[in-house]
Amino acid sequence: MIEQGDLVLCTVERIDNTIVFVKLLVDGKEFDGSIVTSEIAPGRIRNLRDYVVPKKKIVCKVLRISDRGNFELSLRRVTPKERKEVMDREGQERAYISILKKILGDKTPQIIGEIQKEESLVDFFQSAKENPKKLEKVVRKESSEKILAILNVQKQKKMVVKKEMSLKTDSADGVEKIKKILLGFNDAEIRYIAGGKYSIKTESEDIKKADNKLREVVLIIEKRAKENKVDFSIGEK
C-alpha cells in the first residue's frame, strides 16, 4: 500500500488554474491526485505548462492521502535520481507485460492481477528468474518455460548509478596515496576528471543493487582517505 513519502508515477489529466490534476495507477487500481503550484517547482512559476502538460507522465512524492483516497502530491521534492529509478522500473514493467501478452494473450490481465495481489511485476519477475517454480504457480509450466526462455535471452538493461567525489591532499606523496585509496575496486568504474575530482559508477540489472554497490565502495574510499589524511567529499552526479 502506498504511504506518505512514497514515489508514484502519474499521468497529468488537466491543469485548472493553480492546481494540476493527475491519475496514478497503484497495483492495478486507479486513483486521483493533485499538485498545487508551490509543489510543482521552487521559485516563482510563470506558466505551469513549462513543467507539466496533459497526458505527460511525471514522478511525484506522496505528501498526504485523504480519507476519500485522493493523493496530495509534490513534483519538486523528487530528485533526479529518484525520478530515474521510477522511470526505469516502469520501463521494466512494460517489458514484462509485453512478454506476458505474447505468451498468454487474453489471459494477461488476469495473471497480472494475481501477481499484483502480492507484489509488483518487477519484483515478481526478478525473483522468478532465480526461482522458476514461483512463475509456475500462476501460469502453466509450458507457458512458464516460454516466458523464462524469453527473459533469459533478452538483454537486460543495465541500471547505472553515478556520483562525483573529491580527493585532495597537500602531502608530497599525495598522488601515491590517492592511487592506493582507489586501488582494487572491480565492481566500480572510477575515472579522473580534473583538479582532484573523480567520477565513480556502478551498474546492475537492479537499480537497488547498483546503488548498494556504490555505497559500499564510497564507504571504503572514505575510510581509506581518513586513514591517509586525504580530504574526501562526495556529491551526486
Side-chain angles (χ1 to χ4, degrees):
M1 181 60 187
I2 298 295
E3 299 177 350
Q4 181 178 337
D6 285 349
L7 298 170
V8 290
L9 183 65
C10 310
T11 302
V12 178
E13 285 289 297
R14 69 183 193 281
I15 301 170
D16 190 355
N17 293 324
T18 60
I19 300 177
V20 177
F21 292 94
V22 302
K23 293 285 186 181
L24 53 151
L25 200 63
V26 180
D27 295 333
K29 297 180 181 179
E30 192 175 71
F31 295 89
D32 293 317
S34 61
I35 317 167
V36 297
T37 302
S38 60
E39 292 297 336
I40 294 294
R44 186 178 178 183
I45 298 176
R46 295 182 180 276
N47 186 358
L48 283 175
R49 291 179 181 271
D50 290 338
Y51 302 89
V52 292
V53 292
K55 306 306 177 184
K56 180 181 179 181
K57 288 188 175 181
I58 57 175
V59 179
C60 296
K61 186 163 290 188
V62 178
L63 300 180
R64 284 170 293 276
I65 305 174
S66 72
D67 294 336
R68 299 192 333 187
N70 290 322
F71 287 70
E72 294 180 30
L73 307 165
S74 174
L75 179 62
R76 71 177 179 86
R77 303 190 196 201
V78 179
T79 67
K81 177 184 173 183
E82 289 174 329
R83 183 177 299 108
K84 184 178 186 304
E85 287 181 6
V86 173
M87 295 305 294
D88 283 344
R89 277 184 71 88
E90 200 263 344
Q92 283 183 301
E93 184 172 291
R94 286 201 310 269
Y96 291 138
I97 291 173
S98 177
I99 293 171
L100 288 176
K101 286 181 177 178
K102 183 176 181 179
I103 303 301
L104 303 177
D106 295 340
K107 295 180 180 179
T108 300
Q110 178 187 341
I111 298 302
I112 290 175
E114 289 182 25
I115 293 171
Q116 290 180 332
K117 288 178 182 178
E118 302 294 332
E119 58 189 323
S120 71
L121 280 179
V122 174
D123 291 338
F124 175 84
F125 277 105
Q126 286 178 347
S127 177
K129 290 176 188 177
E130 305 296 329
N131 180 17
K133 294 293 183 182
K134 186 171 184 177
L135 184 56
E136 289 179 20
K137 289 180 180 180
V138 293
V139 300
R140 292 186 306 172
K141 185 176 181 179
E142 181 183 353
S143 297
S144 173
E145 290 174 348
K146 290 179 180 179
I147 292 169
L148 290 172
I150 294 174
L151 291 175
N152 289 332
V153 299
Q154 186 182 63
K155 185 177 179 181
Q156 181 71 36
K157 180 183 177 182
K158 292 287 186 180
M159 304 300 166
V160 176
V161 179
K162 188 174 183 181
K163 288 187 178 183
E164 283 188 5
M165 61 183 175
S166 173
L167 290 166
K168 295 183 180 180
T169 177
D170 294 327
S171 174
D173 60 345
V175 174
E176 293 304 316
K177 283 185 176 181
I178 291 175
K179 285 183 179 179
K180 183 178 178 182
I181 290 169
L182 300 179
L183 189 66
F185 294 109
N186 297 323
D187 290 340
E189 180 182 307
I190 301 174
R191 292 188 177 183
Y192 175 72
I193 300 175
K197 291 185 177 181
Y198 300 79
S199 68
I200 176 170
K201 182 178 77 173
T202 56
E203 60 182 32
S204 173
E205 293 180 0
D206 185 334
I207 188 68
K208 291 182 180 179
K209 289 182 180 179
D211 190 54
N212 287 336
K213 282 199 293 185
L214 187 139
R215 289 175 186 271
E216 290 172 4
V217 172
V218 167
L219 286 173
I220 294 172
I221 291 174
E222 186 175 17
K223 181 181 178 182
R224 289 179 180 178
K226 188 175 182 180
E227 292 172 347
N228 287 275
K229 297 181 179 179
V230 172
D231 292 333
F232 168 82
S233 62
I234 188 86
E236 204 167 294
K237 177 69 175 173

